Amino acid sequence: MLRVMTKVALASVFGLCAVMFAKMENVGAQEKKEEKKLTTKQIMGTGHKGAEALFGKIQAAVKAKKLDDAVAPAKDLAANGSLFPKATPPKGDAKSWDDLAGKYAVNTKALADAAEKKDEDAVKKAIATIGGSCKACHDNHRGK
Ligand code: HEC
């Protein structure tokens, strides 16, 4: 009888450990996923809120004819841009979001590539394209 009880007790301890390990792995997996997820508000805030935001820094670098200084913020803008389609906007339908956020990802990548190549014309063109894309997306997806 004692033996049986010991076995049962051991079995439940192992069972508990297994459950705990499974949970720990789960948490790890979730944390990894969250690293690659930003809200639309975070992406817009770091990208476009005020002159000190990434897009403002890029424009200032171009104006000062220091394309070197545009490379790092342009890369950050593109990295966030690539996460934009995966974020959920406050309003608007998914098809429109896929389209507009997808274009933002492509346009910010084009800007980063142009900055890296120190191609001033392409940088200016990409800035204009992104600058011309704000309103349509805000009308559809920004909320009130
Ligand atoms: C593909 C869609 C899209 C494009 C393009 C876009 N935005 Fe946004 N923007 C949004 C959405 C969605 C929000 C609302 C974010 C939220 O509150 O979750 C937003 C919010 C903002 C905010 C407020 C951020 C905050 O902290 O509340 C600013 C500033 C902003 N956008 C500037 C711009 C500028 C400037 C451009 C163009 C150069 C631009 N956006 C292009 C979708 C877009």
Side-chain angles (χ1 to χ4, degrees):
M1 185 60 189
L2 198 63
R3 261 202 187 159
V4 173
M5 276 170 66
T6 315
K7 268 191 191 160
V8 170
L10 274 178
S12 35
V13 167
F14 279 126
L16 204 64
C17 284
V19 169
M20 273 163 56
F21 275 122
K23 282 231 170 90
M24 274 159 63
E25 254 175 56
N26 229 329
V27 169
Q30 260 169 14
E31 270 170 5
K32 258 185 220 152
K33 252 190 205 164
E34 271 158 22
E35 270 174 12
K36 288 225 102 189
K37 215 169 178 244
L38 292 173
T39 64
T40 51
K41 198 175 169 70
Q42 287 168 325
I43 291 169
M44 279 292 126
T46 45
H48 300 282
K49 201 172 184 179
E52 277 305 299
L54 297 169
F55 199 58
K57 281 187 180 156
I58 297 162
Q59 284 172 300
V62 173
K63 213 173 158 192
K65 302 233 172 261
K66 287 184 182 164
L67 276 191
D68 273 339
D69 295 348
V71 178
K75 277 186 175 172
D76 287 346
L77 193 76
N80 286 347
S82 75
L83 301 178
F84 212 28
K86 294 176 207 157
T88 309
K91 70 165 192 186
D93 68 87
K95 198 167 171 289
S96 160
W97 180 251
D98 278 350
D99 177 34
L100 295 172
K103 279 182 187 153
Y104 181 83
V106 170
N107 294 336
T108 51
K109 172 82 167 61
L111 175 54
D113 288 346
E116 218 163 11
K117 285 186 206 142
K118 311 284 182 300
D119 183 341
E120 194 183 337
D121 285 343
V123 166
K124 284 183 174 165
K125 211 176 129 205
I127 287 175
T129 306
I130 296 166
S133 73
C134 322
K135 190 176 182 302
C137 191
H138 288 171
D139 286 351
N140 281 352
H141 297 291
R142 190 172 172 173
K144 44 180 155 53

PDB file of all heavy atoms in Angstrom, residues 39-42 44-45 48-50 55 84 88-91 97 100-102 104 127 130-135 137-138 141-143, ligand 1:
ATOM      1  N   THR A  39       2.388  48.176 -31.793  1.00  0.00           N
ATOM      2  CA  THR A  39       1.057  48.695 -32.120  1.00  0.00           C
ATOM      3  C   THR A  39       1.193  49.763 -33.206  1.00  0.00           C
ATOM      4  O   THR A  39       2.273  50.316 -33.425  1.00  0.00           O
ATOM      5  CB  THR A  39       0.401  49.329 -30.885  1.00  0.00           C
ATOM      6  OG1 THR A  39       1.186  50.464 -30.501  1.00  0.00           O
ATOM      7  CG2 THR A  39       0.320  48.346 -29.725  1.00  0.00           C
ATOM      8  N   THR A  40       0.067  50.052 -33.861  1.00  0.00           N
ATOM      9  CA  THR A  40       0.090  51.111 -34.880  1.00  0.00           C
ATOM     10  C   THR A  40       0.498  52.429 -34.236  1.00  0.00           C
ATOM     11  O   THR A  40       1.203  53.229 -34.837  1.00  0.00           O
ATOM     12  CB  THR A  40      -1.289  51.259 -35.561  1.00  0.00           C
ATOM     13  OG1 THR A  40      -2.297  51.382 -34.567  1.00  0.00           O
ATOM     14  CG2 THR A  40      -1.590  50.081 -36.453  1.00  0.00           C
ATOM     15  N   LYS A  41       0.075  52.629 -33.002  1.00  0.00           N
ATOM     16  CA  LYS A  41       0.411  53.874 -32.303  1.00  0.00           C
ATOM     17  C   LYS A  41       1.918  53.995 -32.050  1.00  0.00           C
ATOM     18  O   LYS A  41       2.506  55.056 -32.234  1.00  0.00           O
ATOM     19  CB  LYS A  41      -0.358  53.936 -30.974  1.00  0.00           C
ATOM     20  CG  LYS A  41      -0.419  55.338 -30.383  1.00  0.00           C
ATOM     21  CD  LYS A  41      -1.295  55.351 -29.146  1.00  0.00           C
ATOM     22  CE  LYS A  41      -1.163  56.649 -28.377  1.00  0.00           C
ATOM     23  NZ  LYS A  41      -1.758  57.805 -29.047  1.00  0.00           N
ATOM     24  N   GLN A  42       2.545  52.871 -31.654  1.00  0.00           N
ATOM     25  CA  GLN A  42       4.002  52.884 -31.433  1.00  0.00           C
ATOM     26  C   GLN A  42       4.747  53.162 -32.737  1.00  0.00           C
ATOM     27  O   GLN A  42       5.694  53.958 -32.769  1.00  0.00           O
ATOM     28  CB  GLN A  42       4.454  51.540 -30.862  1.00  0.00           C
ATOM     29  CG  GLN A  42       4.062  51.331 -29.408  1.00  0.00           C
ATOM     30  CD  GLN A  42       4.276  49.885 -28.968  1.00  0.00           C
ATOM     31  OE1 GLN A  42       4.097  48.946 -29.750  1.00  0.00           O
ATOM     32  NE2 GLN A  42       4.663  49.703 -27.719  1.00  0.00           N
ATOM     33  N   MET A  44       3.676  54.631 -35.520  1.00  0.00           N
ATOM     34  CA  MET A  44       3.457  56.009 -35.972  1.00  0.00           C
ATOM     35  C   MET A  44       4.164  57.007 -35.068  1.00  0.00           C
ATOM     36  O   MET A  44       4.737  57.990 -35.526  1.00  0.00           O
ATOM     37  CB  MET A  44       1.956  56.308 -36.009  1.00  0.00           C
ATOM     38  CG  MET A  44       1.280  55.791 -37.250  1.00  0.00           C
ATOM     39  SD  MET A  44       1.841  56.723 -38.689  1.00  0.00           S
ATOM     40  CE  MET A  44       2.387  55.414 -39.752  1.00  0.00           C
ATOM     41  N   GLY A  45       4.131  56.749 -33.765  1.00  0.00           N
ATOM     42  CA  GLY A  45       4.764  57.660 -32.813  1.00  0.00           C
ATOM     43  C   GLY A  45       6.265  57.770 -33.046  1.00  0.00           C
ATOM     44  O   GLY A  45       6.794  58.877 -33.202  1.00  0.00           O
ATOM     45  N   HIS A  48       6.734  59.196 -36.859  1.00  0.00           N
ATOM     46  CA  HIS A  48       6.231  60.446 -37.431  1.00  0.00           C
ATOM     47  C   HIS A  48       5.760  61.501 -36.451  1.00  0.00           C
ATOM     48  O   HIS A  48       5.251  62.532 -36.863  1.00  0.00           O
ATOM     49  CB  HIS A  48       5.075  60.123 -38.390  1.00  0.00           C
ATOM     50  CG  HIS A  48       5.480  59.239 -39.525  1.00  0.00           C
ATOM     51  ND1 HIS A  48       6.172  59.699 -40.625  1.00  0.00           N
ATOM     52  CD2 HIS A  48       5.345  57.902 -39.720  1.00  0.00           C
ATOM     53  CE1 HIS A  48       6.422  58.692 -41.458  1.00  0.00           C
ATOM     54  NE2 HIS A  48       5.932  57.586 -40.927  1.00  0.00           N
ATOM     55  N   LYS A  49       5.888  61.247 -35.165  1.00  0.00           N
ATOM     56  CA  LYS A  49       5.357  62.236 -34.233  1.00  0.00           C
ATOM     57  C   LYS A  49       6.415  63.274 -33.879  1.00  0.00           C
ATOM     58  O   LYS A  49       7.312  63.022 -33.083  1.00  0.00           O
ATOM     59  CB  LYS A  49       4.855  61.534 -32.957  1.00  0.00           C
ATOM     60  CG  LYS A  49       3.858  62.376 -32.189  1.00  0.00           C
ATOM     61  CD  LYS A  49       3.246  61.567 -31.067  1.00  0.00           C
ATOM     62  CE  LYS A  49       2.181  62.375 -30.355  1.00  0.00           C
ATOM     63  NZ  LYS A  49       1.558  61.605 -29.284  1.00  0.00           N
ATOM     64  N   GLY A  50       6.334  64.419 -34.498  1.00  0.00           N
ATOM     65  CA  GLY A  50       7.268  65.507 -34.189  1.00  0.00           C
ATOM     66  C   GLY A  50       8.554  65.453 -35.004  1.00  0.00           C
ATOM     67  O   GLY A  50       8.858  64.460 -35.662  1.00  0.00           O
ATOM     68  N   PHE A  55      11.191  60.002 -39.251  1.00  0.00           N
ATOM     69  CA  PHE A  55      10.968  60.640 -40.555  1.00  0.00           C
ATOM     70  C   PHE A  55      11.494  62.073 -40.544  1.00  0.00           C
ATOM     71  O   PHE A  55      12.082  62.537 -41.527  1.00  0.00           O
ATOM     72  CB  PHE A  55       9.464  60.594 -40.896  1.00  0.00           C
ATOM     73  CG  PHE A  55       9.147  60.801 -42.358  1.00  0.00           C
ATOM     74  CD1 PHE A  55       9.668  59.973 -43.336  1.00  0.00           C
ATOM     75  CD2 PHE A  55       8.289  61.831 -42.749  1.00  0.00           C
ATOM     76  CE1 PHE A  55       9.363  60.165 -44.686  1.00  0.00           C
ATOM     77  CE2 PHE A  55       7.970  62.028 -44.091  1.00  0.00           C
ATOM     78  CZ  PHE A  55       8.510  61.200 -45.064  1.00  0.00           C
ATOM     79  N   PHE A  84       4.337  47.008 -39.762  1.00  0.00           N
ATOM     80  CA  PHE A  84       3.063  47.742 -39.820  1.00  0.00           C
ATOM     81  C   PHE A  84       1.890  46.877 -40.301  1.00  0.00           C
ATOM     82  O   PHE A  84       0.825  46.887 -39.681  1.00  0.00           O
ATOM     83  CB  PHE A  84       3.238  48.990 -40.699  1.00  0.00           C
ATOM     84  CG  PHE A  84       2.402  50.171 -40.290  1.00  0.00           C
ATOM     85  CD1 PHE A  84       2.004  50.373 -38.974  1.00  0.00           C
ATOM     86  CD2 PHE A  84       2.017  51.125 -41.232  1.00  0.00           C
ATOM     87  CE1 PHE A  84       1.247  51.483 -38.601  1.00  0.00           C
ATOM     88  CE2 PHE A  84       1.262  52.234 -40.880  1.00  0.00           C
ATOM     89  CZ  PHE A  84       0.871  52.412 -39.556  1.00  0.00           C
ATOM     90  N   THR A  88      -2.660  45.999 -35.867  1.00  0.00           N
ATOM     91  CA  THR A  88      -4.094  46.200 -36.120  1.00  0.00           C
ATOM     92  C   THR A  88      -4.463  47.665 -35.925  1.00  0.00           C
ATOM     93  O   THR A  88      -4.270  48.208 -34.842  1.00  0.00           O
ATOM     94  CB  THR A  88      -4.918  45.334 -35.144  1.00  0.00           C
ATOM     95  OG1 THR A  88      -4.421  43.999 -35.207  1.00  0.00           O
ATOM     96  CG2 THR A  88      -6.380  45.329 -35.528  1.00  0.00           C
ATOM     97  N   PRO A  89      -4.978  48.311 -36.958  1.00  0.00           N
ATOM     98  CA  PRO A  89      -5.341  49.725 -36.842  1.00  0.00           C
ATOM     99  C   PRO A  89      -6.657  49.902 -36.071  1.00  0.00           C
ATOM    100  O   PRO A  89      -7.436  48.953 -35.978  1.00  0.00           O
ATOM    101  CB  PRO A  89      -5.521  50.148 -38.299  1.00  0.00           C
ATOM    102  CG  PRO A  89      -5.957  48.915 -38.999  1.00  0.00           C
ATOM    103  CD  PRO A  89      -5.274  47.768 -38.302  1.00  0.00           C
ATOM    104  N   PRO A  90      -6.889  51.109 -35.522  1.00  0.00           N
ATOM    105  CA  PRO A  90      -8.110  51.349 -34.751  1.00  0.00           C
ATOM    106  C   PRO A  90      -9.393  51.159 -35.561  1.00  0.00           C
ATOM    107  O   PRO A  90     -10.432  50.855 -34.997  1.00  0.00           O
ATOM    108  CB  PRO A  90      -7.987  52.812 -34.308  1.00  0.00           C
ATOM    109  CG  PRO A  90      -6.541  53.148 -34.437  1.00  0.00           C
ATOM    110  CD  PRO A  90      -5.999  52.289 -35.522  1.00  0.00           C
ATOM    111  N   LYS A  91      -9.336  51.369 -36.872  1.00  0.00           N
ATOM    112  CA  LYS A  91     -10.556  51.167 -37.667  1.00  0.00           C
ATOM    113  C   LYS A  91     -10.212  50.808 -39.115  1.00  0.00           C
ATOM    114  O   LYS A  91      -9.063  50.881 -39.511  1.00  0.00           O
ATOM    115  CB  LYS A  91     -11.440  52.413 -37.622  1.00  0.00           C
ATOM    116  CG  LYS A  91     -10.870  53.595 -38.377  1.00  0.00           C
ATOM    117  CD  LYS A  91     -11.921  54.690 -38.618  1.00  0.00           C
ATOM    118  CE  LYS A  91     -11.405  55.703 -39.628  1.00  0.00           C
ATOM    119  NZ  LYS A  91     -12.268  56.852 -39.834  1.00  0.00           N
ATOM    120  N   TRP A  97      -6.331  47.786 -45.212  1.00  0.00           N
ATOM    121  CA  TRP A  97      -5.140  47.854 -44.358  1.00  0.00           C
ATOM    122  C   TRP A  97      -3.971  47.095 -44.978  1.00  0.00           C
ATOM    123  O   TRP A  97      -2.848  47.596 -45.024  1.00  0.00           O
ATOM    124  CB  TRP A  97      -5.448  47.322 -42.951  1.00  0.00           C
ATOM    125  CG  TRP A  97      -4.244  47.389 -42.053  1.00  0.00           C
ATOM    126  CD1 TRP A  97      -3.498  46.349 -41.598  1.00  0.00           C
ATOM    127  CD2 TRP A  97      -3.615  48.579 -41.555  1.00  0.00           C
ATOM    128  NE1 TRP A  97      -2.443  46.815 -40.837  1.00  0.00           N
ATOM    129  CE2 TRP A  97      -2.498  48.182 -40.800  1.00  0.00           C
ATOM    130  CE3 TRP A  97      -3.900  49.942 -41.676  1.00  0.00           C
ATOM    131  CZ2 TRP A  97      -1.655  49.094 -40.162  1.00  0.00           C
ATOM    132  CZ3 TRP A  97      -3.053  50.859 -41.037  1.00  0.00           C
ATOM    133  CH2 TRP A  97      -1.958  50.430 -40.295  1.00  0.00           C
ATOM    134  N   LEU A 100      -2.656  49.384 -47.841  1.00  0.00           N
ATOM    135  CA  LEU A 100      -1.987  50.636 -47.477  1.00  0.00           C
ATOM    136  C   LEU A 100      -0.775  50.407 -46.563  1.00  0.00           C
ATOM    137  O   LEU A 100       0.272  51.031 -46.757  1.00  0.00           O
ATOM    138  CB  LEU A 100      -2.990  51.587 -46.816  1.00  0.00           C
ATOM    139  CG  LEU A 100      -4.125  52.062 -47.734  1.00  0.00           C
ATOM    140  CD1 LEU A 100      -5.168  52.847 -46.947  1.00  0.00           C
ATOM    141  CD2 LEU A 100      -3.595  52.905 -48.891  1.00  0.00           C
ATOM    142  N   ALA A 101      -0.915  49.522 -45.598  1.00  0.00           N
ATOM    143  CA  ALA A 101       0.209  49.251 -44.700  1.00  0.00           C
ATOM    144  C   ALA A 101       1.304  48.511 -45.468  1.00  0.00           C
ATOM    145  O   ALA A 101       2.497  48.704 -45.212  1.00  0.00           O
ATOM    146  CB  ALA A 101      -0.242  48.440 -43.487  1.00  0.00           C
ATOM    147  N   GLY A 102       0.902  47.674 -46.428  1.00  0.00           N
ATOM    148  CA  GLY A 102       1.873  46.981 -47.279  1.00  0.00           C
ATOM    149  C   GLY A 102       2.674  47.987 -48.097  1.00  0.00           C
ATOM    150  O   GLY A 102       3.895  47.867 -48.230  1.00  0.00           O
ATOM    151  N   TYR A 104       3.199  51.091 -47.282  1.00  0.00           N
ATOM    152  CA  TYR A 104       4.074  51.822 -46.352  1.00  0.00           C
ATOM    153  C   TYR A 104       5.358  51.010 -46.100  1.00  0.00           C
ATOM    154  O   TYR A 104       6.455  51.575 -46.063  1.00  0.00           O
ATOM    155  CB  TYR A 104       3.321  52.084 -45.039  1.00  0.00           C
ATOM    156  CG  TYR A 104       4.115  52.850 -44.008  1.00  0.00           C
ATOM    157  CD1 TYR A 104       4.198  54.243 -44.045  1.00  0.00           C
ATOM    158  CD2 TYR A 104       4.793  52.183 -42.989  1.00  0.00           C
ATOM    159  CE1 TYR A 104       4.931  54.950 -43.097  1.00  0.00           C
ATOM    160  CE2 TYR A 104       5.522  52.884 -42.032  1.00  0.00           C
ATOM    161  CZ  TYR A 104       5.590  54.259 -42.081  1.00  0.00           C
ATOM    162  OH  TYR A 104       6.320  54.953 -41.139  1.00  0.00           O
ATOM    163  N   ILE A 127      10.767  59.991 -49.910  1.00  0.00           N
ATOM    164  CA  ILE A 127      10.196  60.879 -48.885  1.00  0.00           C
ATOM    165  C   ILE A 127       8.878  61.462 -49.377  1.00  0.00           C
ATOM    166  O   ILE A 127       7.881  61.504 -48.637  1.00  0.00           O
ATOM    167  CB  ILE A 127      11.196  62.012 -48.522  1.00  0.00           C
ATOM    168  CG1 ILE A 127      12.350  61.438 -47.688  1.00  0.00           C
ATOM    169  CG2 ILE A 127      10.499  63.138 -47.759  1.00  0.00           C
ATOM    170  CD1 ILE A 127      13.452  62.437 -47.372  1.00  0.00           C
ATOM    171  N   ILE A 130       6.122  58.740 -49.381  1.00  0.00           N
ATOM    172  CA  ILE A 130       5.632  58.463 -48.019  1.00  0.00           C
ATOM    173  C   ILE A 130       4.822  59.662 -47.516  1.00  0.00           C
ATOM    174  O   ILE A 130       3.729  59.493 -46.954  1.00  0.00           O
ATOM    175  CB  ILE A 130       6.806  58.140 -47.061  1.00  0.00           C
ATOM    176  CG1 ILE A 130       7.513  56.855 -47.496  1.00  0.00           C
ATOM    177  CG2 ILE A 130       6.302  57.996 -45.625  1.00  0.00           C
ATOM    178  CD1 ILE A 130       8.858  56.615 -46.840  1.00  0.00           C
ATOM    179  N   GLY A 131       5.351  60.865 -47.758  1.00  0.00           N
ATOM    180  CA  GLY A 131       4.660  62.078 -47.328  1.00  0.00           C
ATOM    181  C   GLY A 131       3.277  62.223 -47.959  1.00  0.00           C
ATOM    182  O   GLY A 131       2.365  62.775 -47.351  1.00  0.00           O
ATOM    183  N   GLY A 132       3.127  61.696 -49.153  1.00  0.00           N
ATOM    184  CA  GLY A 132       1.838  61.779 -49.836  1.00  0.00           C
ATOM    185  C   GLY A 132       0.887  60.648 -49.464  1.00  0.00           C
ATOM    186  O   GLY A 132      -0.241  60.598 -49.973  1.00  0.00           O
ATOM    187  N   SER A 133       1.339  59.758 -48.599  1.00  0.00           N
ATOM    188  CA  SER A 133       0.506  58.585 -48.293  1.00  0.00           C
ATOM    189  C   SER A 133      -0.197  58.689 -46.939  1.00  0.00           C
ATOM    190  O   SER A 133      -1.036  57.855 -46.601  1.00  0.00           O
ATOM    191  CB  SER A 133       1.377  57.316 -48.315  1.00  0.00           C
ATOM    192  OG  SER A 133       2.220  57.274 -47.170  1.00  0.00           O
ATOM    193  N   CYS A 134       0.114  59.722 -46.167  1.00  0.00           N
ATOM    194  CA  CYS A 134      -0.423  59.835 -44.803  1.00  0.00           C
ATOM    195  C   CYS A 134      -1.950  59.927 -44.794  1.00  0.00           C
ATOM    196  O   CYS A 134      -2.624  59.176 -44.081  1.00  0.00           O
ATOM    197  CB  CYS A 134       0.129  61.065 -44.078  1.00  0.00           C
ATOM    198  SG  CYS A 134       1.871  61.442 -44.397  1.00  0.00           S
ATOM    199  N   LYS A 135      -2.482  60.868 -45.585  1.00  0.00           N
ATOM    200  CA  LYS A 135      -3.886  61.226 -45.424  1.00  0.00           C
ATOM    201  C   LYS A 135      -4.840  60.083 -45.775  1.00  0.00           C
ATOM    202  O   LYS A 135      -5.779  59.802 -45.030  1.00  0.00           O
ATOM    203  CB  LYS A 135      -4.212  62.468 -46.263  1.00  0.00           C
ATOM    204  CG  LYS A 135      -5.592  63.007 -45.939  1.00  0.00           C
ATOM    205  CD  LYS A 135      -5.924  64.282 -46.676  1.00  0.00           C
ATOM    206  CE  LYS A 135      -7.283  64.802 -46.270  1.00  0.00           C
ATOM    207  NZ  LYS A 135      -8.391  63.859 -46.491  1.00  0.00           N
ATOM    208  N   CYS A 137      -4.425  56.963 -45.677  1.00  0.00           N
ATOM    209  CA  CYS A 137      -4.432  55.907 -44.667  1.00  0.00           C
ATOM    210  C   CYS A 137      -5.108  56.390 -43.380  1.00  0.00           C
ATOM    211  O   CYS A 137      -5.869  55.648 -42.767  1.00  0.00           O
ATOM    212  CB  CYS A 137      -3.014  55.427 -44.381  1.00  0.00           C
ATOM    213  SG  CYS A 137      -3.001  53.926 -43.393  1.00  0.00           S
ATOM    214  N   HIS A 138      -4.830  57.626 -42.987  1.00  0.00           N
ATOM    215  CA  HIS A 138      -5.478  58.145 -41.768  1.00  0.00           C
ATOM    216  C   HIS A 138      -6.995  58.205 -41.941  1.00  0.00           C
ATOM    217  O   HIS A 138      -7.740  57.865 -41.026  1.00  0.00           O
ATOM    218  CB  HIS A 138      -4.920  59.526 -41.416  1.00  0.00           C
ATOM    219  CG  HIS A 138      -3.514  59.461 -40.883  1.00  0.00           C
ATOM    220  ND1 HIS A 138      -2.747  60.574 -40.668  1.00  0.00           N
ATOM    221  CD2 HIS A 138      -2.743  58.396 -40.524  1.00  0.00           C
ATOM    222  CE1 HIS A 138      -1.552  60.212 -40.195  1.00  0.00           C
ATOM    223  NE2 HIS A 138      -1.531  58.894 -40.111  1.00  0.00           N
ATOM    224  N   HIS A 141      -8.092  54.541 -41.576  1.00  0.00           N
ATOM    225  CA  HIS A 141      -7.687  53.650 -40.477  1.00  0.00           C
ATOM    226  C   HIS A 141      -7.320  54.299 -39.138  1.00  0.00           C
ATOM    227  O   HIS A 141      -7.103  53.600 -38.173  1.00  0.00           O
ATOM    228  CB  HIS A 141      -6.489  52.797 -40.934  1.00  0.00           C
ATOM    229  CG  HIS A 141      -6.813  51.895 -42.074  1.00  0.00           C
ATOM    230  ND1 HIS A 141      -7.652  50.815 -41.948  1.00  0.00           N
ATOM    231  CD2 HIS A 141      -6.450  51.942 -43.379  1.00  0.00           C
ATOM    232  CE1 HIS A 141      -7.767  50.220 -43.131  1.00  0.00           C
ATOM    233  NE2 HIS A 141      -7.059  50.874 -43.993  1.00  0.00           N
ATOM    234  N   ARG A 142      -7.240  55.644 -39.107  1.00  0.00           N
ATOM    235  CA  ARG A 142      -6.704  56.225 -37.889  1.00  0.00           C
ATOM    236  C   ARG A 142      -7.730  56.320 -36.765  1.00  0.00           C
ATOM    237  O   ARG A 142      -7.347  56.492 -35.593  1.00  0.00           O
ATOM    238  CB  ARG A 142      -6.139  57.616 -38.157  1.00  0.00           C
ATOM    239  CG  ARG A 142      -5.350  58.157 -36.989  1.00  0.00           C
ATOM    240  CD  ARG A 142      -4.649  59.455 -37.371  1.00  0.00           C
ATOM    241  NE  ARG A 142      -4.043  60.075 -36.198  1.00  0.00           N
ATOM    242  CZ  ARG A 142      -3.267  61.142 -36.254  1.00  0.00           C
ATOM    243  NH1 ARG A 142      -3.022  61.697 -37.403  1.00  0.00           N
ATOM    244  NH2 ARG A 142      -2.760  61.661 -35.157  1.00  0.00           N
ATOM    245  N   GLY A 143      -8.969  56.217 -37.026  1.00  0.00           N
ATOM    246  CA  GLY A 143      -9.957  56.442 -35.970  1.00  0.00           C
ATOM    247  C   GLY A 143     -10.253  57.918 -35.897  1.00  0.00           C
ATOM    248  O   GLY A 143      -9.906  58.655 -36.818  1.00  0.00           O
TER     249      GLY A 143
HETATM  250  C1  HEC B   1      -0.660  52.684 -43.843  1.00  0.00           C
HETATM  251  C2  HEC B   1      -1.359  53.617 -42.974  1.00  0.00           C
HETATM  252  C3  HEC B   1      -0.703  54.862 -42.503  1.00  0.00           C
HETATM  253  C4  HEC B   1       0.177  55.692 -43.166  1.00  0.00           C
HETATM  254  C5  HEC B   1       0.714  55.570 -44.563  1.00  0.00           C
HETATM  255  C6  HEC B   1       0.489  56.760 -42.258  1.00  0.00           C
HETATM  256  N1  HEC B   1      -0.162  56.575 -41.064  1.00  0.00           N
HETATM  257 FE1  HEC B   1      -0.028  57.759 -39.404  1.00  0.00          FE
HETATM  258  N2  HEC B   1      -1.338  56.581 -38.432  1.00  0.00           N
HETATM  259  C7  HEC B   1      -1.946  55.451 -38.938  1.00  0.00           C
HETATM  260  C8  HEC B   1      -2.795  54.865 -37.947  1.00  0.00           C
HETATM  261  C9  HEC B   1      -3.608  53.586 -38.104  1.00  0.00           C
HETATM  262  C10 HEC B   1      -2.724  55.695 -36.807  1.00  0.00           C
HETATM  263  C11 HEC B   1      -3.465  55.518 -35.471  1.00  0.00           C
HETATM  264  C12 HEC B   1      -2.564  54.787 -34.505  1.00  0.00           C
HETATM  265  C13 HEC B   1      -3.291  54.379 -33.235  1.00  0.00           C
HETATM  266  O1  HEC B   1      -3.793  55.281 -32.544  1.00  0.00           O
HETATM  267  O2  HEC B   1      -3.322  53.176 -32.975  1.00  0.00           O
HETATM  268  C14 HEC B   1      -1.783  56.759 -37.141  1.00  0.00           C
HETATM  269  C15 HEC B   1      -1.382  57.750 -36.262  1.00  0.00           C
HETATM  270  C16 HEC B   1      -0.474  58.738 -36.538  1.00  0.00           C
HETATM  271  C17 HEC B   1       0.009  59.709 -35.589  1.00  0.00           C
HETATM  272  C18 HEC B   1      -0.367  59.783 -34.113  1.00  0.00           C
HETATM  273  C19 HEC B   1       0.588  58.932 -33.306  1.00  0.00           C
HETATM  274  C20 HEC B   1       0.254  58.961 -31.816  1.00  0.00           C
HETATM  275  O3  HEC B   1       1.198  58.907 -31.015  1.00  0.00           O
HETATM  276  O4  HEC B   1      -0.921  59.018 -31.456  1.00  0.00           O
HETATM  277  C21 HEC B   1       0.860  60.523 -36.257  1.00  0.00           C
HETATM  278  C22 HEC B   1       1.636  61.706 -35.686  1.00  0.00           C
HETATM  279  C23 HEC B   1       0.922  60.060 -37.630  1.00  0.00           C
HETATM  280  N3  HEC B   1       0.103  58.947 -37.755  1.00  0.00           N
HETATM  281  C24 HEC B   1       1.663  60.664 -38.626  1.00  0.00           C
HETATM  282  C25 HEC B   1       1.760  60.163 -39.917  1.00  0.00           C
HETATM  283  C26 HEC B   1       2.473  60.836 -40.983  1.00  0.00           C
HETATM  284  C27 HEC B   1       3.154  62.185 -40.863  1.00  0.00           C
HETATM  285  C28 HEC B   1       2.377  60.030 -42.075  1.00  0.00           C
HETATM  286  C29 HEC B   1       2.945  60.241 -43.445  1.00  0.00           C
HETATM  287  C30 HEC B   1       4.280  60.727 -43.557  1.00  0.00           C
HETATM  288  C31 HEC B   1       1.614  58.859 -41.694  1.00  0.00           C
HETATM  289  N4  HEC B   1       1.242  58.985 -40.393  1.00  0.00           N
HETATM  290  C32 HEC B   1       1.345  57.803 -42.557  1.00  0.00           C
HETATM  291  C33 HEC B   1      -1.758  54.920 -40.203  1.00  0.00           C
HETATM  292  C34 HEC B   1      -0.920  55.441 -41.180  1.00  0.00           C
END
